[in-house]
Amino acid sequence: MSDYTIIGKRMPRVDSRAKVMGKARFTADLKLPGMLVGKIKRSPYAHARILNIDTSKAEALPGVKAVVTGKDTEGVKWGVFSYTRDQQFIQMEKARYIGDEVAGVAAVDEETALEALDLIEVEYEELPAVFESMEAMASQTEPIHEDFPNNINVHVNIETGEVDENFKRAHYVREDTFTAPEDSYFMAEPYAVVAKFDYDGCLEVWCPNGGPHMKSKPLSNAFKIPLHQVKIRKIAIGGAFGGRSEICPADYICALLAKKSDKPVKIEFTREENSIATRQGHAMITTHKTGVDKEGRVLARETTCYLDGGAYVSTGPIAVSVPFLSMEQVYRMESVRYNGYSLYTNKPIRGMIRTHGRCFAAGLDTQLDMIAEHLGIDPVEMRLRNVRKPGEYTNTKSLVGSCAMDETIHKAVVTSGFKDKWGKLPPFHGIGMGTNAVQVGFPMGIRGGSQSFIKFNEDGEATVMSGVVDNGQGNDNMLVQIAAEELGLLPEDIHLVSADTETTSSDPGSYSQVSTFVGGQAVQIAAKNCKQKLFEVAAKVLKVKADTLVAKNRLIFVKDTPEKSISIKKVVRISLTNFNSVNAEGGYWPKVDMKREWVSNPYGQMCEAFSFGTTIVEVKVDPETGQVEVLNATACQDVGKALNPLVLEGQFEGSIAMGGQGGMLTEYHEWKDGRCLNPTMLDYKVPLACDMPTIKNIIVESIEPLGPYGAKEAGMSIAMSAAQGYAAAVSNAIGVYMDSFPLTPDKILAAIKEKKSRPQNKES
Amino acid sequence: MEKIKITLTINDKLREVNVAPNDTLLEVLREKFDLTGSKESCGEGVCGSCTIQMDGKPVRSCLTLALEADGCTIKTVEGLANGDQLSDLQESFINHGAVQCGFCTPGMLISADALLQNNPKPDEKTVRKALAGNICRCTGYAKIVDAVCHAGSPDNQCPDCKTGQ
C-alpha cells in the first residue's frame, strides 16, 4: 500500500456539487449589464471571391449597435506555426468553405441581430471548388490558397532504417488502403463566447477553451495589444475533446464587436454552427505496406496518408504526424518510411478529435490481423511479437521509459476471455483487439511548461494558482488532489484559481495529454516548495530537523513520533507573525528535444512518457440488417499511476463511447458539394445510453519515474485502441477485413454479400 | 409581439410571467427566472439537455412553448435539492463519478428523477431506456447508469460499484 492519503483514492470530484445543482455557470449562462447579442454572417459558397460587402442597411436597422467586416480588422492571420498562418478571422478576399466568416453584427436582441445579418449584402464571384483530397491535388483550377499549388499544404516525410532492403528480405509483404470520412466532437455545450473591453483597453473573454493561454496570444496578436491586456476568464466548459484548443474566429469577432459597440457581446453558436464552424476530425486515406519475417515481426513498413485538411491548415503538421507517431510508439518496426500530406479542400477547418488518426490506427491493426492470419499466428501473439518494450527508442529517436504494453494485452486477454472465444464463436459473433500508444506531450516551445503559485492564508487553508484548464475531464480535481496531498491538507482546504490568464502563469493547456504530467507536476513542485517553508518553521517549534517532518490531515508531525505535532494553521500563523513567507512557486518543463520540428526535423526526444492501451471488444452482427450489437468491451491502459481511479474509469468509459462505439460504428459526416448534410444531433448519430455495452476497466500502473506520483495520462490510448478493437471485432464476426470506416450497416451488408458471392471462401 | 400572462409553479413556488407566444419554456426559465441549470444543446429536442418535469413528466423545454405550460407544475434541476441538502440522486451522481463536464447533467438528473418517482428500484436496462433521450459525450453513460441504479442505496448495498473504497 502506498503512503498517500488522497492520491490514488476514489475521490468524488470537487466540481460535481455545483454541476448537480445546476449552479455551474457555462458561457451561455453569463449575463453582463448592457450585453448585446452577436451573430456571424457566413459564406453560402464553398469557394468564392468577395467582391463587395455593403453593410449600410444593417447598420441603419434600429437596435444594431455594431457591424464588422474584414475592413475593421488589422488583417492578422492565424495559424499555430509561423508557416501555417493562413486564416483571417473575418475573410476579406475569399471565402473558402460554406460557413466561412465574412461579417459580424451586434444588436440589442437575437431577432434584430438575425435581421441585420440578412441586410448585409455580400457580392461574391463563385470559384471552382474541391472537396476531396485526391481531387484537390489533381485540381488545375485556382488553388484555395495562392501559395500552395495542387493544394498540398503540408508534407511530412519520415524515413528510418533500410526500408527498401528490408522489403526485399521480408518473408511476406502486403499493401492495403483504408479510408475514413470526417467525424465531429458534438460536445454537449455548443460554442459560446462573451467578450468585453474595459475603459483601460483590457479585453475580457469567457469561452470554452482547451487552454486559456492558447486563446490570449492570438487575440493579443489580432488586436495588437499586449498580452496582459487580454484576460481569458475561467468558466465551466462543456467538453472539448481537442476541438477547443485553438482560437475560434468567433472569439475575435465577438471581441471586435464589443470594441466597436463599447458593450459586452455574447455569441452563442447553434448546433449546426458548432459542427461546421468550430473544428472537425480529418477525412483520411491511408495506405500501409508492411513486410514481415516468418515470425510476423515487422521488418519494413511504408505508410502514405492523405488528410483532408479543410480550408485552413491550423495544426496541419501535427495532424499529419500524430497518426504516424501513435504507430511508431506502439509497434516496433525495423525500418519505416512515412509520407503524410495535408491537403486544402473547400470544407470546414479541422483539428484533433481526442487525438489524430483513429482510423489510421484501425487500418494498421486490421492489416496486422490479416498478416497474422496468413502466417497462422493468433492476434495476441502477433501483437506481443511487435509491441513496444520499455527502454527502447522509437523510430524517430524517442526513448520510451515506463511501458507496460505487454501487461495491458495479457490482462485484457484474460479478463475478456479472448483465448477461449477467438476463432470459436458462432457465425456473425466476433471478438477483436486493438493496441495503441499515445505521447504525453510534445515539444511545445514557449508554452511547453507550466508554473504554479501557492499561497497560504492565515486560517491554514491554501490558494493554488495554475494555468491548467478543466474541459470536463476532471483537471480541477486533479490539481486539488495533488495540492492537498503535498500540503498535508484536506481537499476542502484548497481553493483553486485556474485557467485565467490574468492570474495564472503560462501553461500548455489541456493539450496533447499534458495536464497532469506537466501542469499537475508544476502544482506538486510548488506545493513541495511551500511545505518546505512550513517545515522549517515547524522544525524550530518542535525542536527537530525539518527533514524528519511530514504533513497530513492539517498537521505537521515527526514521522517516527507522530505525537510530536503542530497544526498547519498554527505554523502559518507563526510564520506570518515572524515575517516569514508562506507562499511558493513551482514549475515543470519536460525535457524534450527542442530542435525536434514537425516538418524540418521530425527526430529527437518527443516527450517524457507514453501511455499504452489495449481494448478488446465482443460483438454480434445481424446479417440481415448489418446492425452491430456490442456485447462487452474491456479497456486496459498503462496510465503510469491512477491518481483517482473513479475519474480514470470515467475517462476509459467515455473513450470507449467516442473512440469505439461512435467513432467506429455510427459517427461520420456526409457531404454534398461541400455542404455538411448532417450537422445536427438528429442526423449525426452519437451513442446513447441504450447503445453502450458493459465496459470492464483494467488499470495498469507502470509508475513513470518522471511523472507526478508516477502518472502519465488517462484514457487517450483507450480512445485510440477502442477504434481498433471495434474494427477487429466486426471483421472477426463477418469474416471480412473491413477497409472503409466507420463500419456502418450498409458497408457491413455489402461485405457479407460480397463474401457470399466469392467461390470457396474459407476466411476466418 | 403581444405578451400574455401565464402562471407556473416552478420548484414549488407560484410564479406569474408575461410571455410572447413564440417564447419557449426553456427561454422563459433561463431568461426570466435565471434558472440557467437547464441547457440548450441541440435546440431540436434530441439531446435532452433542456429536460424539465412538467406535472411530473420529463419534457423537452426547448420544444415546449411557455404558453403550453400555463398552470403547470415545473421542476428544474434547481428544484432537486432541498436548500443545501442534495437529493439521494444528486449525491449518487457525485459519489459514482457520474459527472464530467456537467453540461448534460441537469437534464440527465431530471429524466432519472422522473423515472425513480415511478420506479424507485429500476434495473439497468430500464435505466438505460429511460435515459436514451439524454445525450452525454463524456462518460460513456456507465457511471450515470450506476448512479441511477444505486441512488439512495447505502454504499454497502452497492455491489456493482466501488464507491467509498
Side-chain angles (χ1 to χ4, degrees):
Chain A
M1 283 297 287
S2 73
D3 290 336
Y4 303 128
T5 324
I6 295 157
I7 291 295
K9 299 293 185 288
R10 300 177 72 83
M11 174 190 157
R13 283 168 48 165
V14 292
D15 54 332
S16 39
R17 189 177 166 88
K19 287 175 177 175
V20 299
M21 296 181 84
K23 288 185 177 175
R25 293 266 167 179
F26 294 81
T27 303
D29 302 335
L30 293 180
K31 277 182 195 166
L32 300 179
M35 189 166 76
L36 304 174
V37 174
K39 288 280 170 191
I40 294 171
K41 176 99 174 166
R42 300 183 178 281
S43 168
Y45 299 109
H47 197 191
R49 211 177 309 287
I50 298 167
L51 302 176
N52 187 41
I53 304 182
D54 182 355
T55 58
S56 55
K57 286 180 191 162
E59 280 164 47
L61 183 72
V64 171
K65 301 295 178 187
V67 180
V68 295
T69 66
K71 285 182 192 160
D72 297 280
T73 73
E74 303 275 351
V76 175
K77 288 184 175 179
W78 162 247
V80 171
F81 302 92
S82 57
Y83 57 90
T84 65
R85 291 193 183 135
D86 60 8
Q87 185 181 18
Q88 282 185 290
F89 295 130
I90 309 181
Q91 300 310 326
M92 295 171 81
E93 287 122 33
K94 281 213 291 190
R96 295 179 179 85
Y97 75 95
I98 295 173
D100 213 346
E101 293 82 4
V102 293
V105 299
V108 290
D109 56 32
E110 190 178 8
E111 289 75 23
T112 312
L114 287 171
E115 197 182 338
L117 280 192
D118 287 341
L119 293 173
I120 299 174
E121 290 168 1
V122 187
E123 207 181 318
Y124 293 100
E125 175 198 343
E126 219 181 327
L127 298 168
V130 287
F131 305 118
E132 307 291 342
S133 296
M134 294 301 160
E135 187 192 356
M137 273 196 298
S139 170
Q140 299 296 313
T141 57
E142 178 175 321
I144 296 167
H145 293 270
E146 60 182 16
D147 299 337
F148 295 89
N150 297 99
N151 296 308
I152 298 172
N153 169 240
V154 179
H155 173 206
V156 172
N157 171 247
I158 292 167
E159 184 153 347
T160 66
E162 303 296 327
V163 179
D164 298 320
E165 286 303 306
N166 284 343
F167 271 124
K168 279 182 208 156
R169 68 183 181 93
H171 168 70
Y172 177 59
V173 178
R174 68 171 298 142
E175 183 176 317
D176 303 281
T177 297
F178 301 90
T179 60
E182 297 83 355
D183 49 359
S184 267
Y185 313 94
F186 278 83
M187 312 86 165
E189 180 194 18
Y191 199 81
V193 51
V194 171
K196 136 178 200 271
F197 269 92
D198 282 347
Y199 65 94
D200 53 2
C202 288
L203 169 63
E204 268 187 293
V205 179
W206 295 260
C207 61
N209 64 82
H213 295 278
M214 276 289 283
K215 293 272 194 184
S216 56
K217 185 65 171 98
L219 284 171
S220 130
N221 289 353
F223 283 103
K224 299 195 170 167
I225 57 176
L227 261 176
H228 76 263
Q229 289 192 323
V230 184
K231 302 169 183 181
I232 310 295
R233 297 303 192 197
K234 181 167 182 167
I235 188 83
I237 296 171
F241 313 111
R244 285 165 174 180
S245 294
E246 287 177 67
I247 190 79
C248 176
D251 303 338
Y252 174 75
I253 294 170
C254 191
L256 194 61
L257 288 167
K259 190 175 182 186
K260 201 165 174 181
S261 65
D262 200 21
K263 298 264 187 198
V265 177
K266 173 157 77 179
I267 294 178
E268 287 180 66
F269 275 17
T270 62
R271 179 51 63 180
E272 183 174 359
E273 278 183 300
N274 194 72
S275 297
I276 59 149
T278 58
R279 292 187 180 276
Q280 300 173 337
H282 297 72
M284 296 178 96
I285 303 167
T286 308
T287 301
H288 294 296
K289 179 183 172 187
T290 303
V292 296
D293 66 13
K294 280 182 181 163
E295 283 76 41
R297 290 184 185 88
V298 176
L299 299 176
R301 181 170 279 142
E302 180 164 8
T303 294
T304 308
C305 183
Y306 301 95
L307 291 93
D308 179 336
Y312 302 100
V313 59
S314 170
T315 54
I318 306 176
V320 174
S321 307
V322 167
F324 169 82
L325 295 171
S326 284
M327 172 170 83
E328 69 152 12
Q329 288 155 11
V330 68
Y331 294 125
R332 283 178 284 150
M333 301 170 280
E334 203 172 305
S335 57
V336 67
R337 178 181 298 133
Y338 177 65
N339 282 293
Y341 302 87
S342 172
L343 290 317
Y344 282 126
T345 63
N346 293 111
K347 280 155 91 185
I349 53 175
R350 305 290 154 78
M352 58 242 106
I353 175 159
R354 295 270 177 172
T355 186
H356 300 280
R358 278 179 287 149
C359 48
F360 176 110
L364 186 72
D365 263 34
T366 301
Q367 191 187 55
L368 213 57
D369 284 343
M370 292 160 121
I371 295 170
E373 184 178 304
H374 177 83
L375 299 177
I377 303 170
D378 76 60
V380 179
E381 186 55 35
M382 187 67 180
R383 281 169 182 76
L384 288 172
R385 285 180 192 178
N386 282 293
V387 290
R388 188 60 62 202
K389 305 275 191 294
E392 293 177 348
Y393 279 84
T394 65
N395 293 73
T396 63
K397 302 184 177 66
S398 275
L399 175 65
V400 177
S402 65
C403 168
M405 187 71 241
D406 278 11
E407 194 181 338
T408 68
I409 295 175
H410 290 306
K411 287 195 164 157
V413 164
V414 170
T415 301
S416 64
F418 187 90
K419 293 221 161 164
D420 296 332
K421 291 176 181 168
W422 189 78
K424 295 164 194 157
L425 295 169
F428 301 107
H429 187 157
I431 190 164
M433 74 186 308
T435 48
N436 212 296
V438 175
Q439 70 283 354
V440 182
F442 47 70
M444 283 188 253
I446 200 162
R447 269 184 296 279
S450 181
Q451 283 168 278
S452 167
F453 299 95
I454 295 180
K455 72 181 180 91
F456 260 102
N457 304 312
E458 64 188 64
D459 58 3
E461 299 192 347
T463 302
V464 174
M465 281 164 268
S466 161
V468 170
V469 69
D470 192 330
N471 296 144
Q473 69 275 73
N475 282 340
D476 282 3
N477 196 75
M478 178 267 295
L479 299 175
V480 168
Q481 266 190 288
I482 289 176
E485 178 71 47
E486 283 306 326
L487 294 171
L489 295 175
L490 305 182
E492 55 264 41
D493 303 335
I494 306 293
H495 175 62
L496 182 67
V497 175
S498 63
D500 174 299
T501 58
E502 186 176 29
T503 53
T504 71
S505 235
S506 182
D507 175 87
S510 174
Y511 192 59
S512 194
Q513 298 76 245
V514 294
S515 293
T516 301
F517 199 89
V518 175
Q521 194 143 212
V523 168
Q524 186 190 20
I525 293 165
K528 278 185 173 165
N529 292 339
C530 206
K531 182 167 67 177
Q532 192 53 38
K533 289 185 171 179
L534 298 188
F535 278 0
E536 274 156 30
V537 174
K540 282 182 196 157
V541 179
L542 297 172
K543 298 190 173 59
V544 294
K545 285 189 173 160
D547 60 8
T548 65
L549 295 172
V550 289
K552 252 177 205 176
N553 297 322
R554 298 176 177 156
L555 289 178
I556 292 172
F557 54 88
V558 182
K559 196 174 183 188
D560 298 331
T561 46
E563 61 278 10
K564 241 182 158 176
S565 71
I566 181 169
S567 78
I568 288 175
K569 179 178 170 182
K570 198 163 182 184
V571 177
V572 169
R573 295 179 72 87
I574 293 170
S575 303
L576 291 172
T577 315
N578 291 293
F579 311 128
N580 286 324
S581 157
V582 286
N583 308 327
E585 63 166 321
Y588 190 75
W589 290 264
K591 286 163 205 70
V592 294
D593 187 343
M594 294 294 265
K595 291 200 188 83
R596 185 172 178 135
E597 205 285 327
W598 300 96
V599 177
S600 62
N601 179 36
Y603 305 97
Q605 191 70 33
M606 173 85 186
C607 55
E608 290 190 322
F610 302 89
S611 83
F612 300 89
T614 298
T615 301
I616 294 180
V617 182
E618 194 178 340
V619 302
K620 267 187 188 171
V621 175
D622 183 333
E624 301 299 320
T625 64
Q627 290 286 343
V628 178
E629 182 192 356
V630 185
L631 303 176
N632 59 70
T634 305
C636 182
Q637 192 193 316
D638 165 16
V639 300
K641 164 80 182 168
L643 300 185
N644 185 335
L646 186 70
V647 173
L648 189 57
E649 288 164 9
Q651 290 304 302
F652 284 15
E653 289 153 359
S655 292
I656 295 283
M658 194 185 273
Q661 187 80 27
M664 263 302 134
L665 297 182
T666 58
E667 292 186 30
Y668 65 105
H669 276 309
E670 294 181 281
W671 305 89
K672 186 168 192 306
D673 299 335
R675 185 177 298 280
C676 181
L677 298 179
N678 58 345
T680 66
M681 278 179 166
L682 195 58
D683 298 314
Y684 185 97
K685 303 296 182 194
V686 304
L688 306 176
C690 53
D691 299 326
M692 288 301 296
T694 305
I695 300 168
K696 293 173 203 157
N697 303 302
I698 308 167
I699 294 168
V700 170
E701 297 185 321
S702 59
I703 310 295
E704 165 57 49
L706 298 173
Y709 310 97
K712 296 196 279 195
E713 68 89 23
M716 195 63 85
S717 51
I718 296 299
M720 296 288 279
S721 59
Q724 297 160 271
Y726 270 72
V730 173
S731 291
N732 184 245
I734 63 173
V736 183
Y737 292 105
M738 302 292 282
D739 58 10
S740 167
F741 307 121
L743 305 177
T744 49
D746 55 325
K747 292 180 192 169
I748 290 172
L749 284 179
I752 294 171
K753 194 175 166 194
E754 202 270 333
K755 190 192 173 199
K756 269 190 197 159
S757 69
R758 263 185 256 161
Q760 294 291 312
N761 199 309
K762 283 186 179 177
E763 272 184 48
S764 74
Chain B
M1 218 176 291
E2 194 193 341
K3 302 266 177 165
I4 300 153
K5 186 188 277 186
I6 62 168
T7 308
L8 302 167
T9 305
I10 305 173
N11 299 331
D12 298 330
K13 282 192 188 122
L14 192 64
R15 314 292 293 260
E16 282 187 348
V17 62
N18 292 318
V19 300
N22 63 347
D23 282 344
T24 66
L25 182 55
L26 179 64
E27 286 165 344
V28 170
L29 291 171
R30 286 178 58 86
E31 288 159 27
K32 303 269 166 72
F33 296 108
D34 204 27
L35 293 169
T36 54
S38 307
K39 307 295 183 197
E40 178 165 328
S41 177
C42 73
E44 56 180 356
V46 178
C47 73
S49 303
C50 67
T51 309
I52 53 100
Q53 286 172 24
M54 198 157 105
D55 293 337
K57 283 189 186 147
V59 300
R60 313 291 203 214
S61 63
C62 78
L63 293 188
T64 307
L65 290 174
L67 282 179
E68 296 176 69
D70 190 13
C72 290
T73 299
I74 305 293
K75 188 172 178 184
T76 71
V77 67
E78 291 90 345
L80 288 176
N82 184 4
D84 278 349
Q85 182 69 40
L86 299 186
S87 70
D88 287 345
L89 181 65
Q90 287 171 307
E91 290 284 4
S92 190
F93 263 58
I94 294 175
N95 294 332
H96 284 86
V99 183
Q100 287 194 26
C101 85
F103 200 84
C104 76
T105 306
M108 203 65 88
L109 283 165
I110 287 290
S111 291
D113 181 74
L115 168 72
L116 293 175
Q117 278 171 30
N118 296 318
N119 182 357
K121 291 276 167 206
D123 61 19
E124 186 188 321
K125 204 172 171 187
T126 308
V127 172
R128 286 187 184 272
K129 198 175 167 202
L131 298 181
N134 292 79
I135 289 175
C136 170
R137 261 320 235 178
C138 299
T139 64
Y141 305 99
K143 302 224 175 303
I144 293 173
V145 173
D146 264 357
V148 179
C149 286
H150 299 124
S153 305
D155 292 341
N156 58 8
Q157 290 177 16
C158 206
D160 304 337
C161 47
K162 301 170 200 153
T163 309
Q165 279 186 8

mmCIF file of all heavy atoms in Angstrom, chain B residues 87-98 143 146-153 163:
data_model
loop_
_atom_site.group_PDB
_atom_site.id
_atom_site.type_symbol
_atom_site.label_atom_id
_atom_site.label_comp_id
_atom_site.label_asym_id
_atom_site.label_seq_id
_atom_site.Cartn_x
_atom_site.Cartn_y
_atom_site.Cartn_z
ATOM 1 N N SER B 87 -30.503 15.824 -3.073
ATOM 2 C CA SER B 87 -31.329 14.611 -3.121
ATOM 3 C C SER B 87 -30.409 13.394 -3.196
ATOM 4 O O SER B 87 -29.225 13.506 -3.532
ATOM 5 C CB SER B 87 -32.241 14.644 -4.349
ATOM 6 O OG SER B 87 -31.474 14.472 -5.528
ATOM 7 N N ASP B 88 -30.981 12.224 -2.899
ATOM 8 C CA ASP B 88 -30.201 10.982 -2.993
ATOM 9 C C ASP B 88 -29.608 10.818 -4.388
ATOM 10 O O ASP B 88 -28.483 10.361 -4.552
ATOM 11 C CB ASP B 88 -31.092 9.772 -2.684
ATOM 12 C CG ASP B 88 -31.429 9.689 -1.200
ATOM 13 O OD1 ASP B 88 -30.764 10.382 -0.403
ATOM 14 O OD2 ASP B 88 -32.365 8.930 -0.852
ATOM 15 N N LEU B 89 -30.404 11.164 -5.375
ATOM 16 C CA LEU B 89 -29.944 11.007 -6.763
ATOM 17 C C LEU B 89 -28.741 11.916 -7.037
ATOM 18 O O LEU B 89 -27.744 11.493 -7.642
ATOM 19 C CB LEU B 89 -31.097 11.337 -7.723
ATOM 20 C CG LEU B 89 -30.789 11.194 -9.210
ATOM 21 C CD1 LEU B 89 -30.507 9.743 -9.578
ATOM 22 C CD2 LEU B 89 -31.949 11.722 -10.051
ATOM 23 N N GLN B 90 -28.830 13.156 -6.590
ATOM 24 C CA GLN B 90 -27.696 14.078 -6.784
ATOM 25 C C GLN B 90 -26.448 13.561 -6.072
ATOM 26 O O GLN B 90 -25.351 13.566 -6.631
ATOM 27 C CB GLN B 90 -28.063 15.477 -6.260
ATOM 28 C CG GLN B 90 -29.063 16.215 -7.154
ATOM 29 C CD GLN B 90 -29.567 17.496 -6.500
ATOM 30 O OE1 GLN B 90 -30.038 17.472 -5.363
ATOM 31 N NE2 GLN B 90 -29.467 18.600 -7.209
ATOM 32 N N GLU B 91 -26.621 13.111 -4.835
ATOM 33 C CA GLU B 91 -25.489 12.546 -4.078
ATOM 34 C C GLU B 91 -24.894 11.356 -4.816
ATOM 35 O O GLU B 91 -23.677 11.186 -4.886
ATOM 36 C CB GLU B 91 -25.947 12.077 -2.680
ATOM 37 C CG GLU B 91 -26.312 13.191 -1.716
ATOM 38 C CD GLU B 91 -25.110 13.904 -1.123
ATOM 39 O OE1 GLU B 91 -23.967 13.596 -1.511
ATOM 40 O OE2 GLU B 91 -25.329 14.812 -0.287
ATOM 41 N N SER B 92 -25.782 10.545 -5.354
ATOM 42 C CA SER B 92 -25.338 9.343 -6.046
ATOM 43 C C SER B 92 -24.527 9.702 -7.298
ATOM 44 O O SER B 92 -23.519 9.069 -7.597
ATOM 45 C CB SER B 92 -26.550 8.488 -6.409
ATOM 46 O OG SER B 92 -26.148 7.229 -6.879
ATOM 47 N N PHE B 93 -24.970 10.720 -8.018
ATOM 48 C CA PHE B 93 -24.213 11.184 -9.190
ATOM 49 C C PHE B 93 -22.801 11.600 -8.773
ATOM 50 O O PHE B 93 -21.822 11.273 -9.435
ATOM 51 C CB PHE B 93 -24.933 12.356 -9.875
ATOM 52 C CG PHE B 93 -25.783 11.945 -11.048
ATOM 53 C CD1 PHE B 93 -26.811 11.027 -10.891
ATOM 54 C CD2 PHE B 93 -25.558 12.469 -12.313
ATOM 55 C CE1 PHE B 93 -27.597 10.633 -11.974
ATOM 56 C CE2 PHE B 93 -26.335 12.092 -13.409
ATOM 57 C CZ PHE B 93 -27.361 11.174 -13.240
ATOM 58 N N ILE B 94 -22.696 12.331 -7.677
ATOM 59 C CA ILE B 94 -21.381 12.788 -7.210
ATOM 60 C C ILE B 94 -20.519 11.586 -6.818
ATOM 61 O O ILE B 94 -19.391 11.429 -7.275
ATOM 62 C CB ILE B 94 -21.529 13.755 -6.023
ATOM 63 C CG1 ILE B 94 -22.220 15.046 -6.468
ATOM 64 C CG2 ILE B 94 -20.172 14.061 -5.391
ATOM 65 C CD1 ILE B 94 -22.526 16.015 -5.339
ATOM 66 N N ASN B 95 -21.085 10.718 -5.988
ATOM 67 C CA ASN B 95 -20.292 9.619 -5.432
ATOM 68 C C ASN B 95 -19.905 8.559 -6.451
ATOM 69 O O ASN B 95 -18.900 7.880 -6.289
ATOM 70 C CB ASN B 95 -21.045 8.959 -4.273
ATOM 71 C CG ASN B 95 -21.181 9.910 -3.107
ATOM 72 O OD1 ASN B 95 -20.341 10.798 -2.923
ATOM 73 N ND2 ASN B 95 -22.236 9.758 -2.317
ATOM 74 N N HIS B 96 -20.719 8.414 -7.494
ATOM 75 C CA HIS B 96 -20.396 7.423 -8.526
ATOM 76 C C HIS B 96 -19.539 8.007 -9.649
ATOM 77 O O HIS B 96 -19.247 7.305 -10.611
ATOM 78 C CB HIS B 96 -21.673 6.826 -9.118
ATOM 79 C CG HIS B 96 -22.341 5.835 -8.224
ATOM 80 N ND1 HIS B 96 -23.234 6.209 -7.243
ATOM 81 C CD2 HIS B 96 -22.235 4.491 -8.128
ATOM 82 C CE1 HIS B 96 -23.658 5.134 -6.600
ATOM 83 N NE2 HIS B 96 -23.062 4.088 -7.108
ATOM 84 N N GLY B 97 -19.168 9.263 -9.537
ATOM 85 C CA GLY B 97 -18.358 9.861 -10.607
ATOM 86 C C GLY B 97 -19.139 10.002 -11.899
ATOM 87 O O GLY B 97 -18.580 9.894 -12.989
ATOM 88 N N ALA B 98 -20.434 10.267 -11.801
ATOM 89 C CA ALA B 98 -21.285 10.332 -12.993
ATOM 90 C C ALA B 98 -21.248 11.701 -13.675
ATOM 91 O O ALA B 98 -21.885 11.889 -14.704
ATOM 92 C CB ALA B 98 -22.720 9.987 -12.612
ATOM 93 N N LYS B 143 -21.187 5.300 -15.580
ATOM 94 C CA LYS B 143 -21.289 5.763 -14.196
ATOM 95 C C LYS B 143 -22.637 6.456 -13.939
ATOM 96 O O LYS B 143 -23.135 6.451 -12.817
ATOM 97 C CB LYS B 143 -20.121 6.688 -13.859
ATOM 98 C CG LYS B 143 -18.770 5.994 -14.062
ATOM 99 C CD LYS B 143 -17.807 6.237 -12.949
ATOM 100 C CE LYS B 143 -16.509 5.456 -13.104
ATOM 101 N NZ LYS B 143 -16.694 3.993 -13.221
ATOM 102 N N ASP B 146 -24.956 3.552 -13.264
ATOM 103 C CA ASP B 146 -24.664 3.093 -11.899
ATOM 104 C C ASP B 146 -25.295 4.013 -10.858
ATOM 105 O O ASP B 146 -25.894 3.567 -9.885
ATOM 106 C CB ASP B 146 -23.140 3.131 -11.652
ATOM 107 C CG ASP B 146 -22.511 1.774 -11.882
ATOM 108 O OD1 ASP B 146 -23.254 0.813 -12.164
ATOM 109 O OD2 ASP B 146 -21.268 1.690 -11.787
ATOM 110 N N ALA B 147 -25.115 5.306 -11.080
ATOM 111 C CA ALA B 147 -25.598 6.292 -10.107
ATOM 112 C C ALA B 147 -27.121 6.221 -9.967
ATOM 113 O O ALA B 147 -27.653 6.336 -8.858
ATOM 114 C CB ALA B 147 -25.176 7.700 -10.531
ATOM 115 N N VAL B 148 -27.813 6.040 -11.079
ATOM 116 C CA VAL B 148 -29.275 5.992 -11.012
ATOM 117 C C VAL B 148 -29.725 4.681 -10.366
ATOM 118 O O VAL B 148 -30.602 4.672 -9.487
ATOM 119 C CB VAL B 148 -29.901 6.157 -12.420
ATOM 120 C CG1 VAL B 148 -31.420 6.070 -12.343
ATOM 121 C CG2 VAL B 148 -29.475 7.485 -13.039
ATOM 122 N N CYS B 149 -29.092 3.573 -10.769
ATOM 123 C CA CYS B 149 -29.466 2.264 -10.192
ATOM 124 C C CYS B 149 -29.286 2.254 -8.676
ATOM 125 O O CYS B 149 -30.021 1.567 -7.975
ATOM 126 C CB CYS B 149 -28.618 1.155 -10.796
ATOM 127 S SG CYS B 149 -29.076 0.733 -12.479
ATOM 128 N N HIS B 150 -28.285 2.971 -8.194
ATOM 129 C CA HIS B 150 -27.950 2.879 -6.780
ATOM 130 C C HIS B 150 -28.275 4.134 -5.982
ATOM 131 O O HIS B 150 -27.788 4.301 -4.869
ATOM 132 C CB HIS B 150 -26.465 2.526 -6.625
ATOM 133 C CG HIS B 150 -26.134 1.210 -7.249
ATOM 134 N ND1 HIS B 150 -25.147 1.070 -8.212
ATOM 135 C CD2 HIS B 150 -26.688 -0.009 -7.101
ATOM 136 C CE1 HIS B 150 -25.111 -0.183 -8.606
ATOM 137 N NE2 HIS B 150 -26.024 -0.864 -7.946
ATOM 138 N N ALA B 151 -29.110 5.000 -6.552
ATOM 139 C CA ALA B 151 -29.482 6.212 -5.816
ATOM 140 C C ALA B 151 -30.205 5.819 -4.535
ATOM 141 O O ALA B 151 -31.121 5.000 -4.562
ATOM 142 C CB ALA B 151 -30.384 7.090 -6.677
ATOM 143 N N GLY B 152 -29.784 6.375 -3.421
ATOM 144 C CA GLY B 152 -30.452 6.074 -2.157
ATOM 145 C C GLY B 152 -29.965 4.812 -1.485
ATOM 146 O O GLY B 152 -30.343 4.535 -0.351
ATOM 147 N N SER B 153 -29.115 4.024 -2.176
ATOM 148 C CA SER B 153 -28.587 2.821 -1.528
ATOM 149 C C SER B 153 -27.354 3.195 -0.726
ATOM 150 O O SER B 153 -26.490 3.891 -1.235
ATOM 151 C CB SER B 153 -28.154 1.790 -2.569
ATOM 152 O OG SER B 153 -29.194 1.497 -3.433
ATOM 153 N N THR B 163 -17.923 2.601 -4.790
ATOM 154 C CA THR B 163 -17.985 3.886 -4.105
ATOM 155 C C THR B 163 -17.539 3.753 -2.652
ATOM 156 O O THR B 163 -17.905 2.802 -1.977
ATOM 157 C CB THR B 163 -19.423 4.414 -4.120
ATOM 158 O OG1 THR B 163 -19.869 4.369 -5.452
ATOM 159 C CG2 THR B 163 -19.491 5.823 -3.613
#
